[in-house]
Amino acid sequence: MRLSRYFLPVLKENPSEAQIVSHRYMLRAGMIKQSAAGIYSWLPLGFKVLKKIETIVHEEQMRAGHIPMLMPTLQSADLWKESGRYDDYGQEMLRISDRHGRDMLYGPTNEELITDIFRSHVGSYKDLPLTLYHIQWKFRDEIRPRFGVMRGREFYMKDGYNFDLTKEDALHAYNRHLVSYLRSYERMGLQAIPMRADGGPIGGDYTHEFLVLAETGESEVFYDSAVTDLTFGDREIDYDSVEQCQGVLEEFTSKYARTDETHDEALFNEVPEDRRRVARGIEVGQIFYFGTKYSEAMGANVQGPDGKQSPVHMGSHGIGVSRLLGAIIEASHDEKGIIWPEGVTPFHCGIVNLKQGDEEADAACESLYDALTAVGLEPLYDDRKERAGGKFATMDLIGLPWRITVGPRGLKNGVVELTSRRSGESEELSPEAAVQKIVEIYANHQTGRGF
Ligand code: P5A
């Protein structure tokens, strides 16, 4: 992409409404624009990162054997009356009536809708196990929408639902989700720690939230610092193996890590004192096993091998896709702007032309642009007639992890400059070597092509 043809409305001033750094940088980098409280338009740069995160989530869900689909944002209230949640959900639910006076709602979550789909089409244990998921907009009329996309009213969520014959099978599905979530967050450059939590309006008493530690997080968390040493890494996993998935769950959840809702002071005090931590975290996902809560209320039964009908065992599993942009920025930024992890960066590298209009510099930039594009990478070429300082400031603000700087002086010696946004370190090398290096860096990151 050439910056002169892109739409990147960066702001010079700090927007006064933004209280935390991720919100401030998302506005300043021209990623989002508020349309109403807690409701945002996703401008091209924000949309691009949103889609990269969504792609990672899709890839990891499909790798785990979960099946993508799409349900609508608007739902009929009837299903929610069946489950009993129409009244329970209170004012967080946006209720609408259509021209015929029928009660509708903008879905805050989809347990009812998916249970209805299941009961209409599945009746036998032979069709199980089954996990369906979608990535779709949700609406929760939060009392205090704040911090930009972190606590929106309209937000983008991946929600998946497992259907199993027995509790044992459903717990395997739970573990599968835990593993796939660990992989997903790590690909986004994040450490998200599973912590025992509370079921809230979704239900069930077996649930873990995934938390990214950050001072600006809305949840208070208590944990054994040894949990922060755990990484999933690039190990292979067989998602069908009950033992392997259970092993990962035990590895990642046996140390003390809880949100304040389930915190147990006595248990916490058993953690060696020098490892006890009280901190704040951003909840970027939550997994639930709630058994037959919805299937019983809505008559979603399956016939077992013995011919008997019983309510299907279920769980639901969510990732806050739009919230993740905020969480990643909170975890990865400096005073100049965002520092995108390679896995989610909107463009793979920036090209800064120090002297736009100089024949040699322009030609060198064009050829870098073509070489990177030819190998499937997306550079952002700042081809505007601007001062170098302004170009650097924009690149630093929008946070591309790598920048190639091209100027007439360097070109005389056959070199360009490659700079890491994270470390600030630069090296001079030939344009070919710079391209080669970027290619090698991204060979280790499966980033989807953007929009
Ligand atoms: C699990 C999937 C559920 O709704 N039903 C379907 C279950 N869980 S949850 O924990 O309530 O939400 C899942 C994730 O969505 C994100 N999230 C939000 N993101 C932005 N703004 C909000 N107002 C908001 N509310 C929830 C969180 O990341 C949460 O973990």
Side-chain angles (χ1 to χ4, degrees):
M1 179 59 65
R2 287 172 167 77
L3 196 45
S4 62
R5 299 189 197 165
Y6 200 45
F7 181 64
L8 186 72
V10 297
L11 308 178
K12 291 229 161 56
E13 304 298 321
N14 271 331
S16 58
E17 73 266 34
Q19 296 163 9
I20 61 171
V21 70
S22 56
H23 188 193
R24 196 153 60 233
Y25 284 157
M26 285 185 79
L27 292 169
R28 284 199 47 210
M31 298 177 69
I32 51 170
K33 176 167 185 346
Q34 182 173 303
S35 104
I39 303 177
Y40 292 88
S41 293
W42 293 78
L43 307 181
L45 193 74
F47 181 61
K48 221 161 160 44
V49 181
L50 186 71
K51 289 289 151 185
K52 294 245 165 155
I53 293 173
E54 178 179 357
T55 303
I56 291 178
V57 173
H58 267 303
E59 286 174 358
E60 293 304 327
Q61 287 310 298
M62 289 191 271
R63 192 197 300 276
H66 305 157
I67 304 170
M69 61 178 294
L70 187 60
M71 289 176 269
T73 51
L74 293 184
Q75 305 181 20
S76 157
D78 294 347
L79 294 172
W80 289 71
K81 289 175 184 164
E82 266 189 69
S83 74
R85 279 208 296 181
Y86 193 59
D87 294 328
D88 292 355
Y89 228 92
Q91 289 196 312
E92 265 198 22
M93 181 185 276
L94 181 64
R95 295 154 207 261
I96 306 161
S97 66
D98 70 10
R99 68 198 301 165
H100 305 291
R102 280 188 289 251
D103 292 334
M104 309 283 292
L105 56 99
Y106 193 129
T109 176
N110 286 51
E111 280 79 7
E112 284 77 0
L113 203 54
I114 197 85
T115 305
D116 180 52
I117 292 169
F118 180 87
R119 72 179 171 186
S120 306
H121 299 289
V122 185
S124 163
Y125 74 95
K126 290 182 190 149
D127 297 321
L128 305 182
L130 178 65
T131 296
L132 299 168
Y133 78 93
H134 73 161
I135 302 182
Q136 177 62 292
W137 294 96
K138 305 286 184 291
F139 196 94
R140 294 183 185 172
D141 205 352
E142 305 273 353
I143 303 187
R144 283 184 69 197
R146 57 179 186 157
F147 301 163
V149 300
M150 229 35 135
R151 178 164 297 279
R153 292 198 297 165
E154 188 184 47
F155 61 98
Y156 207 37
M157 189 207 284
K158 170 262 162 184
D159 41 324
Y161 305 85
N162 67 285
F163 300 92
D164 290 277
L165 184 64
T166 63
K167 176 173 180 181
E168 241 178 20
D169 293 348
L171 290 178
H172 174 55
Y174 186 94
N175 298 347
R176 231 176 29 235
H177 279 90
L178 181 122
V179 176
S180 67
Y181 280 26
L182 291 172
R183 284 186 62 107
S184 307
Y185 298 126
E186 283 190 18
R187 278 185 62 186
M188 298 170 201
L190 278 180
Q191 180 174 45
I193 304 167
M195 301 198 180
R196 274 304 289 267
D198 180 70
I202 306 296
D205 53 14
Y206 187 52
T207 175
H208 285 89
E209 284 181 5
F210 290 77
L211 286 120
V212 173
L213 297 174
E215 276 166 31
T216 46
E218 293 191 284
S219 317
E220 187 173 31
V221 295
F222 301 81
Y223 63 96
D224 175 342
S225 65
V227 294
T228 58
D229 298 334
L230 299 169
T231 50
F232 188 80
D234 55 6
R235 57 180 112 162
E236 286 299 317
I237 182 117
D238 173 2
Y239 277 108
D240 289 332
S241 164
V242 170
E243 293 71 30
Q244 283 187 28
C245 293
Q246 176 69 23
V248 175
L249 173 106
E250 283 167 17
E251 179 185 344
F252 280 82
T253 63
S254 55
K255 303 226 160 42
Y256 192 92
R258 294 187 176 206
T259 61
D260 54 355
E261 299 146 344
T262 56
H263 176 56
D264 180 326
E265 198 64 33
L267 274 179
F268 189 50
N269 287 335
E270 289 174 17
V271 176
E273 197 172 353
D274 61 328
R275 296 202 327 233
R276 271 179 238 155
R277 299 281 185 282
V278 182
R280 302 200 71 79
I282 302 166
E283 180 204 328
V284 291
Q286 187 164 5
I287 53 178
F288 301 81
Y289 165 71
F290 43 67
T292 57
K293 172 174 169 174
Y294 298 90
S295 53
E296 266 187 68
M298 298 179 64
N301 297 318
V302 277
Q303 188 174 47
D306 55 4
K308 281 202 192 113
Q309 294 279 339
S310 59
V312 69
H313 283 260
M314 291 173 61
S316 71
H317 315 276
I319 293 184
V321 175
S322 49
R323 176 179 287 183
L324 271 163
L325 278 94
I328 293 169
I329 297 172
E330 290 295 326
S332 185
H333 67 267
D334 64 13
E335 69 292 345
K336 294 182 196 156
I338 302 166
I339 306 175
W340 290 114
E342 275 81 356
V344 299
T345 184
F347 294 95
H348 296 102
C349 92
I351 302 173
V352 169
N353 188 345
L354 293 178
K355 199 162 185 204
Q356 201 70 43
D358 176 274
E359 209 171 302
E360 255 189 82
D362 291 1
C365 288
E366 290 295 335
S367 104
L368 280 167
Y369 187 89
D370 290 345
L372 288 162
T373 310
V375 292
L377 294 172
E378 271 190 299
L380 179 66
Y381 170 24
D382 192 343
D383 59 344
R384 297 168 306 158
K385 284 214 151 91
E386 281 248 344
R387 283 183 312 107
K391 290 188 174 187
F392 289 142
T394 300
M395 284 292 175
D396 286 344
L397 174 64
I398 69 171
L400 310 185
W402 298 93
R403 187 187 78 210
I404 304 177
T405 310
V406 180
R409 207 173 306 156
L411 287 175
K412 282 212 173 66
N413 303 319
V415 294
V416 295
E417 195 181 53
L418 179 65
T419 308
S420 156
R421 173 71 181 86
R422 190 165 288 109
S423 71
E425 282 165 21
S426 292
E427 59 176 315
E428 289 193 334
L429 65 193
S430 70
E432 297 73 29
V435 170
Q436 188 52 33
K437 185 140 187 205
I438 304 256
V439 168
E440 280 161 21
I441 288 162
Y442 284 102
N444 302 321
H445 295 274
Q446 304 152 298
T447 50
R449 223 186 137 71
F451 277 59

